[in-house]
C-alpha cells in the first residue's frame, strides 16, 4: 500500500501524459500493463464500505476507458502495410526514404492504429539494439507529434524539438538543425506526424511546406508517417500545383497513401468484423 493510500487518499491508475513529449511517449511504450479489477457479485458489492465501493468503481472506470486497441482486420492490415514501408527503408543516410500517409475519415482509429504500430516498432528496436546507442545516449526509435491549427514550417520544427525536450528558440533553420542532431544522436528511425491536415494550406504555404517535408525526408534518416484527413484535397501531396501539373509533384510520388476501411454492417464480412 502506498503512503497516499495509508493516509486514506486513493490515487487510482489514471496516467496523465502526452505522447507528444518524450517522457510521455516512453510512458505510453513502457508503462505497466493494467490489471483488470476483480469481478464482484451484487452481494459482494453491497458488502463493500462506501470508500471501498468508490475505489472499486474508480478502478473499473479506468479499466474500461483504456481497453484495446482491438486488433481489428483493418488495424492488422494497416500495420502490415506500414511495416512493409518502414522495413524497406533501410537505405543509407544519403538516400531519401519514401513516406507513408494514413488518410481516412475521422473516427476510424487512424491515430490509435499508427501509435500502436509505433509502440510495437519502438519495443522491437529496443529489444534488438538495446536501450542505449553506441555513444551512450538513450535510444529513441520513434518520434510522435501532433500538429495544431494552421501549422507552419517553424511550428513543425518546434514541435519536433519540443518532443525531445530541446529549446525552441531560433528560426526554422536553427530548429531543424537542432532536431537533426537529436535524431542522429538518439537513433530515431520513424517520425509519426499526426493531424497533418492542420498544416497551413494557403497557396504559397502549401508549396513551401511540401518542399520542407521533402527536406525532412532528404536530410533526416527516418521514415515519415503522416496521419490526416482530406490531405490530398488540401494540395500538400501535389505541392499546390494545378491538376495538369501534378505529375511534377515529387513529394506526392514519394508518399504512399494508406487508409482504414470503415466498419460496415451490410455484408456478412462486415458484421463479423
Amino acid at each position: 500500500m502506498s503512503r497516499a493510500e495509508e493516509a486514506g487518499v486513493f490515487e487510482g491508475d489514471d496516467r496523465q501524459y502526452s505522447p507528444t513529449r518524450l517522457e510521455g511517449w516512453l510512458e505510453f511504450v513502457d508503462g505497466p500493463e493494467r490489471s483488470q479489477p476483480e469481478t464482484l457479485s451484487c452481494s459482494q458489492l453491497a458488502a463493500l464500505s462506501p470508500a471501498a465501493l468508490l475505489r472499486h468503481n474508480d478502478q473499473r472506470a479506468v479499466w474500461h476507458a483504456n481497453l484495446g486497441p482491438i486488433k481489428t482486420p483493418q488495424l492488422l492490415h494497416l500495420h502490415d502495410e506500414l511495416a512493409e514501408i518502414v522495413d524497406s527503408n533501410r537505405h543509407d543516410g544519403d538516400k531519401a526514404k519514401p513516406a507513408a500517409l494514413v488518410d481516412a475519415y475521422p473516427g476510424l482509429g487512424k491515430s490509435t492504429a499508427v501509435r500502436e504500430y509505433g509502440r510495437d516498432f519502438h519495443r522491437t528496436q529496443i529489444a534488438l539494439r538495446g536501450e542505449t546507442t553506441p555513444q551512450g545516449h538513450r535510444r529513441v526509435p520513434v518520434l510522435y507529434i501532433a500538429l495544431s491549427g494552421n501549422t507552419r514550417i517553424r511550428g513543425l520544427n518546434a514541435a519536433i524539438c519540443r518532443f525531445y525536450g530541446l529549446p525552441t528558440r531560433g528560426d526554422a533553420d536553427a530548429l531543424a538543425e537542432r532536431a537533426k542532431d537529436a535524431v542522429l544522436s538518439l537513433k530515431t528511425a520513424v517520425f509519426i506526424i499526426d493531424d497533418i491536415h492542420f498544416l497551413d494550406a494557403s497557396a504559397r504555404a502549401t508549396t513551401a511546406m511540401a518542399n520542407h517535408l521533402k527536406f525532412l525526408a532528404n536530410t533526416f534518416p527516418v521514415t515519415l508517417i503522416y496521419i490526416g484527413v482530406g490531405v490530398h484535397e488540401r494540395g500538400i501531396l501535389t505541392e499546390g500545383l494545378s491538376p495538369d501539373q501534378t505529375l511534377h509533384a515529387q513529394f506526392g510520388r514519394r508518399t504512399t497513401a494508406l487508409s482504414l476501411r470503415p466498419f460496415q454492417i451490410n455484408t456478412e464480412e462486415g458484421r463479423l468484423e
Side-chain angles (χ1 to χ4, degrees), residues 74-89 98-102 110-118 121 190-192 223-227 256-260:
Q74 289 92 327
L75 180 144
L76 294 174
H77 180 66
L78 177 63
H79 282 196
D80 287 343
E81 292 181 313
L82 290 172
E84 183 176 355
I85 293 170
V86 173
D87 291 347
S88 65
N89 274 352
L101 165 66
V102 182
K110 298 183 301 298
S111 297
T112 299
V114 176
R115 280 197 302 268
E116 186 72 5
Y117 170 79
F121 180 83
V190 170
F191 273 16
I192 300 174
T223 298
L224 294 159
I225 301 176
Y226 307 109
I227 311 170
T256 300
L258 307 174
S259 189
L260 275 177

Side-chain angles (χ1 to χ4, degrees), residues 141-205:
V142 177
L143 169 142
Y144 174 81
I145 59 173
L147 304 184
S148 57
N150 212 38
T151 299
R152 298 187 178 181
I153 292 174
R154 188 188 181 283
L156 174 59
N157 293 351
I160 297 172
C161 289
R162 202 172 292 118
F163 173 88
Y164 289 119
L166 300 172
T168 56
R169 62 181 180 274
D171 60 17
D173 291 340
L175 292 173
E177 291 303 312
R178 197 172 296 147
K180 189 191 306 179
D181 289 340
V183 168
L184 294 172
S185 297
L186 306 181
K187 302 298 182 183
T188 303
V190 170
F191 273 16
I192 300 174
I193 303 179
D194 206 345
D195 293 326
I196 193 177
H197 50 273
F198 283 141
L199 292 175
D200 187 350
S202 61
R204 178 179 300 176

